[in-house]
Structures are given as structure tokens and as C-alpha cells.
């Protein structure tokens, strides 16, 4: 059985998840269209240190309540008997219990959850022999595609624009992602 590697935040969860919390805390009125880069500090007019402190405080709250991306659950449920579903996230290991609870509460099927604590997921992708990966972070998608030479599905957002290597496929929805994966792994 082939193994799919799936990022969690902005991929399985809706890419707008953090925006209401950021707007309230930083007194902004941002929409997803305003988030044109992955580094939020300049957009929020704050420092990396302040943003990191904010993340430490709010990540557990946000991750408990994160809404699913549209159609993610349907597609994952469709795949749960065809593929092994390995979730590989940059979340810190200290968030494992909250993450697993969220998966159970939202009925998101998984075979394995790995919180690597950084954006470098290549080692985990190789270690688990991942056949295709799902990501929302531009440089991660490109690096995984090129260094692991596997198809990477990149969920299109304003913060992940740029030229793509041949291994990376940009999609606008989970339904579109499903079409690509079903065609690749007939």
C-alpha cells in the first residue's frame, strides 16, 4: 500500500484558520488575500520574537478549534483503505496530544502522525517512504519534490506563489488533488 504524506495546517485545516485570531490580537482586518508571504511578522507589523510568543500562547487554542479544509474529510475517507495516511507537520512535538484529539474529534483517519518541530520535512518523508506529499508552504513543496523526487500537491494560496519544479502540482481544492493522485496511482 502506497503511503501519502500530508501536512496538517493550511492543508487538512483551512488556510484561513489563524486569520481571526491574528486580526483580534494584532488589531488588523486581514483576509487570506492579504497573506502574500509565509512570514507573518512584516504583515502584522511586529517582530519575529513577538510573533513567536504569540504562537506559543495561541497555537494550542487554534489547533483545538481548527476547521477542516473543504472536501478534505471526504477525500481522506475515500483514500483511507487505498493508502497509508501519514501526517507530517512542522508543529512542535509538545502539541501531539492536542493534534491527535483534533483528528479523533473531526473523524480524520490517520495511520501515523509525526510532528517534526520544524519546516524541514525531508528526513521524515524519506524515513517513511512517502509516495506523494501534500503541502501549502511553497519552499517545502519545491524542496520535497526535488530532493525526494515524488509528486507534491501544493494547495494554492496567496502566500505560496512562485515557479514550480516538475514534481509539484498546484491545486485549488481537495477534489482537484484527488483527481491528480487517483491518476498517478491508478
Amino acid at each position: 500500500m502506497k503511503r501519502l504524506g500530508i501536512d496538517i495546517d493550511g492543508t487538512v485545516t483551512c488556510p484561513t484558520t489563524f486569520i481571526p485570531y491574528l486580526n483580534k490580537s494584532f488589531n488588523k482586518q486581514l483576509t487570506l488575500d492579504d497573506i502574500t508571504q509565509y512570514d507573518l511578522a512584516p504583515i502584522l507589523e511586529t517582530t519575529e520574537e513577538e510573533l513567536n510568543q504569540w504562537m506559543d500562547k495561541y497555537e494550542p487554542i487554534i489547533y483545538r478549534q481548527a476547521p477542516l479544509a473543504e472536501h478534505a474529510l471526504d477525500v481522506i475517507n475515500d483514500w483511507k483503505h487505498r493508502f497509508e495516511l501519514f501526517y507530517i507537520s512542522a508543529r512542535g512535538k509538545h502539541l501531539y496530544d492536542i493534534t491527535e484529539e483534533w483528528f479523533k474529534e473531526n473523524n480524520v483517519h490517520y495511520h501515523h502522525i509525526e510532528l517534526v518541530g520544524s519546516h524541514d520535512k525531508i528526513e521524515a518523508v524519506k524515513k517513511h517512504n512517502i509516495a506523494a506529499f501534500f503541502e501549502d508552504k511553497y519552499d517545502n513543496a519545491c524542496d520535497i519534490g526535488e530532493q525526494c523526487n515524488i509528486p507534491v500537491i501544493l494547495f494554492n494560496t496567496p502566500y505560496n506563489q512562485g515557479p514550480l519544479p516538475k514534481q509539484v502540482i498546484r491545486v485549488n481544492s481537495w477534489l482537484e488533488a484527488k483527481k491528480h493522485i487517483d491518476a498517478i496511482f491508478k
Side-chain angles (χ1 to χ4, degrees):
M1 190 179 298
K2 297 263 186 223
R3 227 173 240 174
L4 301 181
I6 308 169
D7 172 52
I8 300 171
D9 300 301
T11 304
V12 177
T13 66
C14 184
T16 61
T17 297
F18 276 76
I19 294 173
Y21 299 92
L22 293 168
N23 283 340
K24 186 174 183 190
S25 295
F26 291 93
N27 197 24
K28 299 287 181 190
Q29 294 183 333
L30 300 170
T31 66
L32 184 59
D33 289 335
D34 297 316
I35 313 294
T36 55
Q37 61 186 49
Y38 204 84
D39 179 9
L40 294 172
I43 294 169
L44 296 169
E45 300 173 43
T46 190
T47 64
E48 290 294 328
E49 185 182 348
E50 278 185 275
L51 183 59
N52 288 337
Q53 289 171 352
W54 183 88
M55 290 291 281
D56 288 344
K57 179 178 178 181
Y58 284 96
E59 270 182 320
I61 298 162
I62 294 169
Y63 293 155
R64 269 191 194 93
Q65 301 171 5
L68 278 156
E70 189 176 16
H71 303 294
L73 192 58
D74 297 334
V75 172
I76 289 164
N77 279 335
D78 191 57
W79 284 342
K80 68 184 178 188
H81 300 295
R82 271 187 62 204
F83 300 104
E84 286 187 290
L85 305 172
F86 276 50
Y87 296 86
I88 301 171
S89 170
R91 291 181 182 187
K93 291 174 180 39
H94 67 287
L95 295 164
Y96 186 87
D97 290 343
I98 288 168
T99 301
E100 189 177 45
E101 285 170 29
W102 181 89
F103 272 78
K104 289 176 179 174
E105 286 170 13
N106 287 278
N107 297 310
V108 178
H109 188 81
Y110 64 94
H111 294 94
H112 179 75
I113 298 170
E114 187 154 335
L115 307 182
V116 296
S118 81
H119 288 291
D120 186 1
K121 301 173 184 174
I122 290 168
E123 186 181 315
V125 168
K126 289 179 177 177
K127 176 176 79 176
H128 295 300
N129 196 26
I130 301 297
F133 200 82
F134 299 77
E135 181 62 74
D136 72 314
K137 190 169 188 290
Y138 173 78
D139 53 342
N140 279 5
C142 295
D143 291 347
I144 292 167
E146 289 179 321
Q147 294 183 40
C148 301
N149 199 28
I150 60 171
V152 177
I153 302 295
L154 178 64
F155 286 89
N156 191 29
T157 68
Y159 57 80
N160 67 20
Q161 301 304 299
L164 300 175
K166 68 181 187 325
Q167 299 92 333
V168 180
I169 303 159
R170 186 180 292 280
V171 299
N172 292 302
S173 71
W174 271 91
L175 297 178
E176 201 179 323
K178 181 180 180 338
K179 285 180 187 167
H180 284 286
I181 292 299
D182 289 349
I184 293 168
F185 302 112
K186 292 180 181 123

